[in-house]
Amino acid sequence: MLSAYQGYQLSFKSISRAQFDLICTHIKPDQVISLILSDSDDTPGQSELFFSRFQITDFTRTRMLKLINIGSASLEDICRCFREFAKYHRISIESYNARRLSQDVLLSVATQIKIGAPERLISCAEITSRSFAFPVCLIILRCLTISQSSMDDLKSICKLALRLTSLKVENLILNANEEFLLSAQQLRRLVLYCKNVPVSMNQMEQLLMNLPQLKYFEISAKGSFDLTNGYLWESLTYKLVTFNFNFWLKIAGIEEILNSFRTLFWIERKKWFVVATRKRLFSIPHFSKKIADTYFQLPLHTTIPHGDETLLFDKVTYFILNNSLISHQNYFRYIKTLEIKNTNSFENLSTLIDLNHVENFILSSSMNHSTIATLMKSMPSLQQFSINTELQKFFDQTKNLCFEQIRILEINQPIIDGNFYVIEQLVRLFPNIEILRVNSIRWKLGIARLLDKFENLWSASFRLEKSSTPETDIDVLSFIRNDFDVLNFIRNEIDYEKYEAFHNRCRPKSTTGQNQGKYYDFWIKKRVSFSLYYSN
């Protein structure tokens, strides 16, 4: 039945090498209608491996192809046959590197482009300049997400991308009193984040009056006081289905302002609710807090009807225990991440949050043996554990414990040179780890040992830093300068009999902090039987 099925939608984002090989062995290209490939941190080199087995032109029934941070070599191979392939396919591209998208063929065939950089913002000026040189570029683009743009660049893109229906700009650079005009009659979704100068109601009128098809509008910006007039917004947004705003501005007469957002239009017809403080006016629940702690309080000034406060509680997915629990009626039903910064009292924790949904546990404070054992048993969905405390103290507090349910482990305390005890204790505590992230290690041999010891490991990422020991500083720094030497050293030190496949990659060093290092990513496959692998 599976071999005859003709509608597979394959996503290889964050997948183990064993599962990847299993799927690629049994799936035929003409069975696939949707395909996602990713060269992200946990699957380095995936696209190159995939295209060593398949040709993109073999996927004759595929209607959607999504490429996430694909390496340059793979993009060059894809580009050779992209134009013919794109006639019948939707192409979606996500990249942190704008240069990878500079090829004319990519711009001309992509229906969706997302450009973002975690370390620096990328302007869309390069895209617009190349598009003017090659007018066919952007002609079928429908969705665009970009980190940074000027208003002039946006206008240029809208003129070229005649089918653009969704546009998101994470940092729109505006000049004071600049006209807010976009020529995009077909645009249905618009998200703008403006950080440099305040926007005014006059600019909002200019923008919305020229976007007749717009149904979703989201904006976050500094603002002038005239943006607090709910009556004016009503006349501008009556055609919208969704309207989310977050304005930073000085507010006087809070209740008078909120009254303009309490009309039947806002409360009954649209069900758009607003919160006002002295420095901020924003819609909820979209812009309400997603992180809460033991000091959490409901907003004092809001248009939300009495009894509907659960809208605010249900938006919170991250809870921080940073003080002894205070008795109140708050209850958070959808907490995914629980961080412990204070361990004085856990007695009433289950009356404050629903522990059944917690997937990620972050320990940022010392915790006694019985407390951590009891708490871990109370979280049946828990899969990820983050250690933010001193490793030796953590090991002392977890003697005779074993966290078999944990699949993802993140270590935010440094692992120093020669500390084999740390490796032994981590493997003892977390025997079933599949994904490992070590954000500070000063021991290249330790990387090889950690890769070897975790039997179920398939993805690992390490930030290698210089050692605090003077005599090892020169050694480690010389390796950091030469990525090939580091990776070659690790490959020579691992126990190759344990591995069926081994992929690795180096990422650029961090741009923040004094002790900078480089990131080394690994995508591996251990020599274990499939029955044993999947029984775990």
Side-chain angles (χ1 to χ4, degrees):
M1 182 174 64
L2 292 176
S3 63
Y5 186 62
Q6 297 295 313
Y8 284 108
Q9 301 180 56
L10 303 183
S11 174
F12 291 128
K13 183 178 180 181
S14 192
I15 188 174
S16 72
R17 177 59 196 273
Q19 292 172 326
F20 177 85
D21 287 345
L22 179 66
I23 293 172
C24 289
T25 301
H26 291 86
I27 293 294
K28 298 178 181 178
D30 59 3
Q31 294 178 297
V32 180
I33 63 173
S34 173
L35 175 62
I36 300 177
L37 296 175
S38 172
D39 284 340
S40 295
D41 304 344
D42 51 0
T43 53
Q46 181 189 99
S47 64
E48 187 174 352
L49 179 63
F50 184 83
F51 289 121
S52 69
R53 302 182 178 190
F54 303 103
Q55 296 292 326
I56 191 64
T57 51
D58 294 337
F59 292 82
T60 54
R61 299 187 67 249
T62 301
R63 291 296 173 262
M64 194 283 286
L65 172 64
K66 187 173 185 179
L67 307 175
I68 304 175
N69 294 329
I70 297 299
S72 301
S74 295
L75 277 183
E76 290 178 3
D77 291 338
I78 296 171
C79 285
R80 294 191 183 100
C81 52
F82 238 15
R83 289 197 185 280
E84 186 65 27
F85 180 82
K87 288 181 180 179
Y88 311 103
H89 304 70
R90 290 187 294 112
I91 312 296
S92 176
I93 302 172
E94 294 185 14
S95 178
Y96 288 140
N97 189 341
R99 294 178 182 176
R100 291 179 182 174
L101 299 180
S102 62
Q103 296 99 324
D104 311 322
V105 62
L106 290 180
L107 292 176
S108 63
V109 301
T111 58
Q112 180 170 333
I113 298 176
K114 181 178 181 180
I115 308 172
E119 297 175 355
R120 66 181 180 87
L121 295 174
I122 297 175
S123 171
C124 63
E126 181 177 1
I127 291 180
T128 57
S129 63
R130 297 189 68 86
S131 298
F132 279 122
F134 302 89
V136 70
C137 293
L138 307 182
I139 194 65
I140 65 171
L141 182 66
R142 296 183 183 274
C143 302
L144 175 64
T145 300
I146 200 160
S147 292
Q148 178 172 295
S149 175
S150 68
M151 198 65 194
D152 287 341
D153 284 338
L154 278 192
K155 292 176 181 178
S156 299
I157 285 178
C158 290
K159 289 180 180 179
L160 292 166
L162 300 179
R163 299 182 186 180
L164 188 68
T165 59
S166 176
L167 174 62
K168 179 178 180 180
V169 184
E170 296 173 357
N171 186 13
L172 178 61
I173 306 300
L174 292 171
N175 298 319
N177 301 317
E178 184 174 9
E179 282 192 343
F180 225 122
L181 294 173
L182 290 179
S183 177
Q185 298 288 314
Q186 75 290 347
L187 198 65
R188 298 179 63 84
R189 184 178 187 273
L190 178 62
V191 179
L192 299 176
Y193 283 69
C194 314
K195 301 177 182 179
N196 58 330
V197 298
V199 299
S200 66
M201 181 61 80
N202 182 53
Q203 289 173 312
M204 294 296 97
E205 289 184 44
Q206 290 178 341
L207 178 68
L208 295 176
M209 294 297 287
N210 286 279
L211 299 175
Q213 301 300 318
L214 196 67
K215 298 300 178 185
Y216 182 105
F217 181 43
E218 179 181 326
I219 184 167
S220 179
K222 296 178 181 178
S224 58
F225 185 75
D226 56 3
L227 294 172
T228 63
N229 190 325
Y231 304 119
L232 286 178
W233 278 117
E234 183 174 334
S235 64
L236 287 175
T237 61
Y238 67 95
K239 290 185 178 180
L240 295 180
V241 175
T242 304
F243 177 39
N244 295 312
F245 60 87
N246 178 36
F247 296 124
W248 297 89
L249 69 173
K250 292 182 180 181
I251 296 179
I254 291 179
E255 283 303 314
E256 182 179 351
I257 289 171
L258 286 183
N259 285 335
S260 68
F261 292 93
R262 288 193 175 107
T263 64
L264 291 176
F265 171 85
W266 290 92
I267 304 300
E268 298 294 335
R269 181 181 169 189
K270 294 293 190 178
K271 298 188 184 301
W272 294 342
F273 307 121
V274 177
V275 168
T277 68
R278 292 182 178 180
K279 296 182 179 180
R280 188 179 171 208
L281 180 72
F282 60 97
S283 58
I284 53 175
H286 185 80
F287 281 107
S288 60
K289 292 181 178 179
K290 298 177 179 62
I291 301 176
D293 57 20
T294 50
Y295 300 105
F296 180 86
Q297 292 182 340
L298 291 171
L300 293 176
H301 305 284
T302 176
T303 64
I304 194 169
H306 180 68
D308 289 346
E309 292 84 358
T310 53
L311 287 172
L312 301 177
F313 297 138
D314 292 350
K315 189 69 174 179
V316 177
T317 58
Y318 190 128
F319 187 82
I320 302 172
L321 184 66
N322 53 357
N323 197 5
S324 297
L325 293 177
I326 304 171
S327 178
H328 46 58
Q329 297 180 349
N330 298 346
Y331 189 69
F332 302 94
R333 299 187 295 175
Y334 301 111
I335 300 300
K336 299 293 185 182
T337 300
L338 174 63
E339 181 174 3
I340 304 297
K341 289 187 176 181
N342 185 298
T343 59
N344 290 334
S345 174
F346 287 94
E347 296 178 1
N348 300 321
L349 185 59
S350 60
T351 65
L352 181 63
I353 68 174
D354 186 348
L355 294 172
N356 290 306
H357 297 287
V358 176
E359 299 175 355
N360 180 20
F361 180 65
I362 303 173
L363 185 60
S364 301
S365 175
S366 298
M367 182 180 295
N368 64 54
H369 183 280
S370 60
T371 300
I372 192 171
T374 301
L375 187 59
M376 295 291 282
K377 291 180 180 179
S378 303
M379 298 183 287
S381 300
L382 187 65
Q383 292 190 353
Q384 181 171 344
F385 197 108
S386 299
I387 305 174
N388 291 353
T389 62
E390 186 179 335
L391 290 175
Q392 183 58 57
K393 290 183 179 179
F394 175 72
F395 296 145
D396 292 341
Q397 294 156 1
T398 54
K399 287 182 178 179
N400 303 320
L401 293 179
C402 183
F403 307 129
E404 295 183 351
Q405 75 272 40
I406 302 301
R407 296 295 186 267
I408 304 172
L409 177 62
E410 182 176 273
I411 304 171
N412 295 312
Q413 293 295 310
I415 299 178
I416 60 176
D417 194 4
N419 198 338
F420 289 97
Y421 173 77
V422 168
I423 297 176
E424 294 173 0
Q425 294 303 308
L426 289 173
V427 175
R428 174 187 65 82
L429 283 166
F430 305 99
N432 296 319
I433 293 302
E434 298 175 357
I435 300 175
L436 175 65
R437 303 186 186 111
V438 179
N439 291 318
S440 176
I441 188 167
R442 302 167 185 174
W443 181 28
K444 57 187 181 294
L445 179 59
I447 295 177
R449 294 296 173 263
L450 285 167
L451 292 173
D452 281 346
K453 294 294 184 179
F454 286 108
E455 295 297 331
N456 295 324
L457 192 68
W458 58 263
S459 175
S461 178
F462 302 88
R463 182 162 69 110
L464 182 60
E465 299 179 315
K466 65 178 182 179
S467 173
S468 57
T469 307
E471 57 268 24
T472 61
D473 257 1
I474 298 176
D475 180 50
V476 174
L477 280 175
S478 65
F479 274 91
I480 289 178
R481 293 191 188 100
N482 193 326
D483 304 330
F484 176 79
D485 285 347
V486 174
L487 295 172
N488 191 47
F489 175 87
I490 293 171
R491 293 177 73 96
N492 289 334
E493 290 296 328
I494 62 171
D495 184 356
Y496 253 104
E497 293 185 357
K498 293 185 175 183
Y499 298 87
E500 186 174 332
F502 193 95
H503 291 266
N504 50 251
R505 177 183 62 190
C506 175
R507 283 185 283 145
K509 65 182 180 180
S510 171
T511 58
T512 59
Q514 295 180 350
N515 195 7
Q516 298 180 1
K518 285 190 177 181
Y519 289 85
Y520 295 88
D521 303 321
F522 299 89
W523 190 34
I524 59 179
K525 180 181 179 182
K526 295 291 185 75
R527 293 186 184 278
V528 292
S529 66
F530 280 113
S531 59
L532 175 62
Y533 184 88
Y534 288 109
S535 67
N536 289 333

